[in-house]
Amino acid sequence: MTTGHRDDESSAPTAVVLDFLPHGRSDDERPQYEKEPLAYAVSVEEFRLFELVLTEDADVSIGDRVSVERGDDVERARGIDYEDLSGGARSELEYAIEDIVDADEDRFVEFYNEAQPITTRLHALNLLPGIGKKLRNNVLEARKRRPFANFEDIEARVNGLHDPKDVLVERILEEIEESDLKYRIFARRDE
C-alpha cells in the first residue's frame, strides 16, 4: 500500500542523488582503474533506495534528480536496503525526503484528505507518528467540512497537529529504515 504515482507507467523512476562516490566504494578491493563511479539515490515516487553505477563521464551531484534506468549518466541500478547506504547518503536522506515532499505538496496533502481505515481497528492516519485516536478524529472531522488545501491549512484547522509535513517525513523515514513494518503507506520495499 503505497501512495505515489507516475504519469506514464512505462517511464523510469526518478530518484534524488543522496551521495556520489566518483571512485567507487572504499571497501571495494579492486584496483582504482577497475572501480566504477557510484551514487546512492532515493526514488521520488515510491521512496525506494538504489545504488547506481554511473558512466565514467557522469555529471551528477547530491540533490540532483536522475532517471534510474540506463541513460546519459546511469549504467545500471539495483535496489538496496537502508543498511547498504553510505554514511553520506544516510545523512542526506532526511533532506532529500523533505525536498520531495515540498516539491509535490499536493500529493502528500491528499494523504490527509483521502486516508482510510486499514482494518476495523486501525486507520492509516494512526500510522503517522504522534497521531492517536483523538488527533485522528480531529483530522477526520476537519476534512469532512472541506478538503485540506496545503500543510499550512492542515495545521491551522486541526487542533494539536503541529507540522503535518514533518510527521509525514518522519513516517517515510521510518518506512525506509525499518525492514519489518507490517504496514507501509509511502515507501515500497522489494521483497
Side-chain angles (χ1 to χ4, degrees):
M1 164 173 43
T2 60
T3 64
H5 59 282
R6 283 189 230 154
D7 294 332
D8 174 12
E9 282 301 319
S10 65
S11 66
T14 300
V16 175
V17 175
L18 302 171
D19 196 7
F20 173 53
L21 307 172
H23 305 294
R25 284 191 300 271
S26 59
D27 63 354
D28 187 341
E29 299 291 328
R30 295 179 295 173
Q32 186 61 51
Y33 68 88
E34 289 183 9
K35 293 182 184 183
E36 302 164 305
L38 296 175
Y40 293 101
V42 60
S43 71
V44 171
E45 296 86 5
E46 297 179 325
F47 300 102
R48 292 177 59 211
L49 299 175
F50 290 94
E51 179 183 83
L52 308 173
V53 175
L54 303 174
T55 60
E56 287 298 322
D57 60 344
D59 182 24
V60 300
S61 298
I62 294 171
D64 286 355
R65 288 187 180 220
V66 297
S67 171
V68 174
E69 283 190 352
R70 185 180 182 132
D72 293 336
D73 292 321
V74 177
E75 281 286 326
R76 62 185 180 279
R78 71 178 181 98
I80 60 172
D81 292 328
Y82 177 77
E83 298 76 32
D84 299 322
L85 288 176
S86 67
R90 287 181 191 196
S91 66
E92 285 296 317
L93 185 59
E94 183 173 353
Y95 301 112
I97 301 302
E98 288 174 359
D99 288 346
I100 291 168
V101 172
D102 283 339
D104 197 0
E105 183 174 350
D106 291 347
R107 168 183 161 198
F108 297 98
V109 169
E110 183 180 322
F111 172 76
Y112 283 100
N113 285 323
E114 302 294 329
Q116 296 296 314
I118 297 171
T119 68
T120 55
R121 295 178 173 257
L122 181 65
H123 197 283
L125 289 168
N126 292 118
L127 296 177
L128 298 177
I131 296 192
K133 186 177 179 180
K134 182 178 179 191
L135 205 45
R136 176 202 66 212
N137 290 341
N138 290 349
V139 171
L140 294 174
E141 282 301 313
R143 79 181 194 190
K144 268 186 205 174
R145 290 186 211 107
R146 71 178 184 280
F148 299 113
N150 52 40
F151 289 129
E152 199 173 274
D153 185 33
I154 296 169
E155 191 167 358
R157 291 175 43 208
V158 179
N159 189 26
L161 182 55
H162 306 289
D163 213 335
K165 181 187 102 173
D166 281 354
V167 170
L168 285 177
V169 169
E170 189 176 335
R171 176 62 192 193
I172 293 166
L173 285 167
E174 182 182 358
E175 290 183 20
I176 291 171
E177 294 172 11
E178 303 295 325
S179 61
D180 59 350
L181 290 177
K182 184 171 182 177
Y183 299 107
R184 294 180 177 280
I185 306 169
F186 304 101
R188 186 177 133 209
R189 206 167 165 90
D190 296 326
E191 299 301 328

